[in-house]
mmCIF file of all heavy atoms in Angstrom:
data_model
loop_
_atom_site.group_PDB
_atom_site.id
_atom_site.type_symbol
_atom_site.label_atom_id
_atom_site.label_comp_id
_atom_site.label_asym_id
_atom_site.label_seq_id
_atom_site.Cartn_x
_atom_site.Cartn_y
_atom_site.Cartn_z
ATOM 1 N N LEU A 467 -42.014 15.697 15.168
ATOM 2 C CA LEU A 467 -43.145 16.609 15.371
ATOM 3 C C LEU A 467 -44.405 15.821 15.708
ATOM 4 O O LEU A 467 -45.169 16.206 16.607
ATOM 5 C CB LEU A 467 -43.372 17.441 14.107
ATOM 6 C CG LEU A 467 -44.646 18.304 14.095
ATOM 7 C CD1 LEU A 467 -44.611 19.341 15.207
ATOM 8 C CD2 LEU A 467 -44.837 18.969 12.739
ATOM 9 N N LEU A 468 -44.613 14.714 15.023
ATOM 10 C CA LEU A 468 -45.783 13.885 15.293
ATOM 11 C C LEU A 468 -45.742 13.326 16.709
ATOM 12 O O LEU A 468 -46.767 13.285 17.401
ATOM 13 C CB LEU A 468 -45.855 12.747 14.267
ATOM 14 C CG LEU A 468 -47.162 11.948 14.205
ATOM 15 C CD1 LEU A 468 -48.332 12.859 13.867
ATOM 16 C CD2 LEU A 468 -47.042 10.829 13.182
ATOM 17 N N VAL A 469 -44.551 12.901 17.149
ATOM 18 C CA VAL A 469 -44.402 12.414 18.522
ATOM 19 C C VAL A 469 -44.743 13.522 19.518
ATOM 20 O O VAL A 469 -45.462 13.299 20.507
ATOM 21 C CB VAL A 469 -42.968 11.901 18.756
ATOM 22 C CG1 VAL A 469 -42.745 11.593 20.233
ATOM 23 C CG2 VAL A 469 -42.702 10.658 17.914
ATOM 24 N N TRP A 470 -44.247 14.734 19.259
ATOM 25 C CA TRP A 470 -44.504 15.880 20.149
ATOM 26 C C TRP A 470 -46.007 16.154 20.228
ATOM 27 O O TRP A 470 -46.568 16.307 21.319
ATOM 28 C CB TRP A 470 -43.762 17.104 19.631
ATOM 29 C CG TRP A 470 -43.606 18.235 20.593
ATOM 30 C CD1 TRP A 470 -42.486 18.576 21.296
ATOM 31 C CD2 TRP A 470 -44.609 19.216 20.961
ATOM 32 N NE1 TRP A 470 -42.720 19.689 22.079
ATOM 33 C CE2 TRP A 470 -44.008 20.095 21.899
ATOM 34 C CE3 TRP A 470 -45.921 19.422 20.614
ATOM 35 C CZ2 TRP A 470 -44.699 21.165 22.460
ATOM 36 C CZ3 TRP A 470 -46.624 20.489 21.185
ATOM 37 C CH2 TRP A 470 -46.014 21.342 22.090
ATOM 38 N N VAL A 471 -46.656 16.233 19.081
ATOM 39 C CA VAL A 471 -48.073 16.593 19.036
ATOM 40 C C VAL A 471 -48.933 15.504 19.680
ATOM 41 O O VAL A 471 -49.849 15.802 20.470
ATOM 42 C CB VAL A 471 -48.517 16.852 17.580
ATOM 43 C CG1 VAL A 471 -50.028 17.030 17.503
ATOM 44 C CG2 VAL A 471 -47.812 18.082 17.026
ATOM 45 N N VAL A 472 -48.662 14.241 19.348
ATOM 46 C CA VAL A 472 -49.444 13.147 19.931
ATOM 47 C C VAL A 472 -49.259 13.102 21.442
ATOM 48 O O VAL A 472 -50.224 12.890 22.200
ATOM 49 C CB VAL A 472 -49.038 11.802 19.291
ATOM 50 C CG1 VAL A 472 -49.642 10.634 20.061
ATOM 51 C CG2 VAL A 472 -49.491 11.754 17.837
ATOM 52 N N THR A 473 -48.019 13.305 21.906
ATOM 53 C CA THR A 473 -47.756 13.330 23.346
ATOM 54 C C THR A 473 -48.526 14.451 24.018
ATOM 55 O O THR A 473 -49.166 14.249 25.069
ATOM 56 C CB THR A 473 -46.253 13.495 23.610
ATOM 57 O OG1 THR A 473 -45.543 12.412 23.017
ATOM 58 C CG2 THR A 473 -45.968 13.540 25.096
ATOM 59 N N PHE A 474 -48.481 15.631 23.423
ATOM 60 C CA PHE A 474 -49.169 16.784 24.002
ATOM 61 C C PHE A 474 -50.675 16.553 24.066
ATOM 62 O O PHE A 474 -51.310 16.732 25.112
ATOM 63 C CB PHE A 474 -48.854 18.034 23.177
ATOM 64 C CG PHE A 474 -49.554 19.270 23.654
ATOM 65 C CD1 PHE A 474 -49.048 19.997 24.719
ATOM 66 C CD2 PHE A 474 -50.730 19.701 23.055
ATOM 67 C CE1 PHE A 474 -49.699 21.135 25.174
ATOM 68 C CE2 PHE A 474 -51.384 20.839 23.497
ATOM 69 C CZ PHE A 474 -50.865 21.555 24.559
ATOM 70 N N ILE A 475 -51.262 16.128 22.952
ATOM 71 C CA ILE A 475 -52.715 15.956 22.898
ATOM 72 C C ILE A 475 -53.177 14.832 23.823
ATOM 73 O O ILE A 475 -54.174 14.976 24.550
ATOM 74 C CB ILE A 475 -53.158 15.689 21.444
ATOM 75 C CG1 ILE A 475 -52.896 16.926 20.582
ATOM 76 C CG2 ILE A 475 -54.639 15.308 21.395
ATOM 77 C CD1 ILE A 475 -53.214 16.732 19.119
ATOM 78 N N SER A 476 -52.461 13.708 23.809
ATOM 79 C CA SER A 476 -52.873 12.584 24.662
ATOM 80 C C SER A 476 -52.759 12.940 26.137
ATOM 81 O O SER A 476 -53.603 12.527 26.944
ATOM 82 C CB SER A 476 -52.030 11.345 24.344
ATOM 83 O OG SER A 476 -50.658 11.589 24.584
ATOM 84 N N THR A 477 -51.731 13.710 26.503
ATOM 85 C CA THR A 477 -51.574 14.110 27.907
ATOM 86 C C THR A 477 -52.639 15.112 28.316
ATOM 87 O O THR A 477 -53.136 15.081 29.447
ATOM 88 C CB THR A 477 -50.175 14.693 28.140
ATOM 89 O OG1 THR A 477 -49.189 13.762 27.692
ATOM 90 C CG2 THR A 477 -49.946 14.989 29.616
ATOM 91 N N ILE A 478 -53.014 15.998 27.410
ATOM 92 C CA ILE A 478 -54.079 16.964 27.691
ATOM 93 C C ILE A 478 -55.424 16.252 27.863
ATOM 94 O O ILE A 478 -56.173 16.528 28.804
ATOM 95 C CB ILE A 478 -54.173 18.015 26.563
ATOM 96 C CG1 ILE A 478 -52.977 18.971 26.610
ATOM 97 C CG2 ILE A 478 -55.478 18.801 26.660
ATOM 98 C CD1 ILE A 478 -52.960 19.912 27.779
ATOM 99 N N LEU A 479 -55.716 15.325 26.981
ATOM 100 C CA LEU A 479 -57.035 14.701 26.971
ATOM 101 C C LEU A 479 -57.157 13.529 27.937
ATOM 102 O O LEU A 479 -58.233 13.298 28.494
ATOM 103 C CB LEU A 479 -57.383 14.229 25.555
ATOM 104 C CG LEU A 479 -57.459 15.317 24.476
ATOM 105 C CD1 LEU A 479 -57.820 14.697 23.136
ATOM 106 C CD2 LEU A 479 -58.452 16.399 24.859
ATOM 107 N N LEU A 480 -56.068 12.781 28.136
ATOM 108 C CA LEU A 480 -56.146 11.547 28.926
ATOM 109 C C LEU A 480 -55.549 11.668 30.316
ATOM 110 O O LEU A 480 -55.457 10.666 31.030
ATOM 111 C CB LEU A 480 -55.444 10.414 28.173
ATOM 112 C CG LEU A 480 -55.968 10.115 26.766
ATOM 113 C CD1 LEU A 480 -55.145 9.017 26.115
ATOM 114 C CD2 LEU A 480 -57.435 9.714 26.818
#
Side-chain angles (χ1 to χ4, degrees):
L467 172 62
L468 192 60
V469 171
W470 196 103
V471 172
V472 169
T473 301
F474 178 82
I475 294 176
S476 61
T477 306
I478 288 290
L479 299 180
L480 303 177

